[in-house]
């Protein structure tokens, strides 16, 4: 079920993905503090929606690891107790169909191609979430670092988004289901 906060999260993740040039952005949903932005966006409005300054970390994630974090994120307690889990917005190109009764992924695609366990993706997320990936996504940093050294791809997440908005004028999010729960 989509809502305005989900749509705004999709837009912010998409903008960050395009600006940084990675395959996928995982944007912590608690980073988004208002359900909408616009039609005219002031700096004050923008800072109320996305107030958390800090670096963005780029890293590599294997297909097997991506499948693991998605399955973990969609564990049953995520549906029952909102205060005990973190949801992430996935940028454009990501699509997961999940069977809640079987607790398994039916299909996981990046840019229309089924994710193979051996695929490797360049991913970005805010440093806070990266540093705590073990808690948020059940993936220890040691496992992520086996794919290559993580790097800081931007010093300040809001600056990346602000620059994108300045360069692209009016933006409209096209409807795209990225997470389908059966």
């Amino acid at each position: 079920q989509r809502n305005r906060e989900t749509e705004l999260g999709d837009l912010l993740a998409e903008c960050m993905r395009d600006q940084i040039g990675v395959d996928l952005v995982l944007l912590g949903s608690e980073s988004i503090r208002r359900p909408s932005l616009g039609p005219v966006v002031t700096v004050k409005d923008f800072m109320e929606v996305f107030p958390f300054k800090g670096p963005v970390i780029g890293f590599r994630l294997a297909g097997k690891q991506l499948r693991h974090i998605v399955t973990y994120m969609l564990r049953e307690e995520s549906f029952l107790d909102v205060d005990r889990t973190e949801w992430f917005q996935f940028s454009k190109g990501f699509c997961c169909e999940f069977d809640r009764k079987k607790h398994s992924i039916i299909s996981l695609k990046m840019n229309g191609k089924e994710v193979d366990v051996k695929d490797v993706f360049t991913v970005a997320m805010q440093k806070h979430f990266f540093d705590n990936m073990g808690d948020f996504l059940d993936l220890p940093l040691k496992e992520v670092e086996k794919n290559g050294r993580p790097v800081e791809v931007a010093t300040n997440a809001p600056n990346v988004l602000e620059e994108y908005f300045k360069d692209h004028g009016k933006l409209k999010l096209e409807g795209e289901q990225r997470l389908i729960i059966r």
Side-chain angles (χ1 to χ4, degrees), residues 80-94:
L80 304 175
D81 190 350
V82 178
D83 294 332
R84 298 189 134 215
T85 189
E86 173 59 37
W87 282 89
F88 286 84
Q89 304 290 335
F90 294 88
S91 59
K92 186 176 181 179
F94 174 90

Side-chain angles (χ1 to χ4, degrees), residues 20 29 46 51 80 93 126:
I20 295 173
S29 61
F46 179 73
L80 304 175
Q126 296 153 282

Side-chain angles (χ1 to χ4, degrees), residues 78-146:
S78 299
F79 296 98
L80 304 175
D81 190 350
V82 178
D83 294 332
R84 298 189 134 215
T85 189
E86 173 59 37
W87 282 89
F88 286 84
Q89 304 290 335
F90 294 88
S91 59
K92 186 176 181 179
F94 174 90
C95 183
C96 177
E97 188 174 352
F98 188 81
D99 186 322
R100 187 171 168 193
K101 288 179 184 174
K102 294 180 181 177
H103 191 69
S104 65
I105 294 173
I106 298 167
S107 174
L108 181 63
K109 294 181 180 181
M110 281 294 300
N111 300 317
K113 181 182 172 263
E114 192 67 30
V115 171
D116 184 86
V117 294
K118 296 177 185 174
D119 290 339
V120 177
F121 302 97
T122 305
V123 180
M125 69 174 24
Q126 296 153 282
K127 186 175 186 323
H128 167 72
F129 295 108
F130 178 80
D131 288 344
N132 296 287
M133 194 180 304
D135 294 330
F136 289 127
L137 297 172
D138 192 44
L139 187 63
L141 289 179
K142 287 180 185 179
E143 291 299 312
V144 173
E145 291 169 347
K146 289 179 182 178

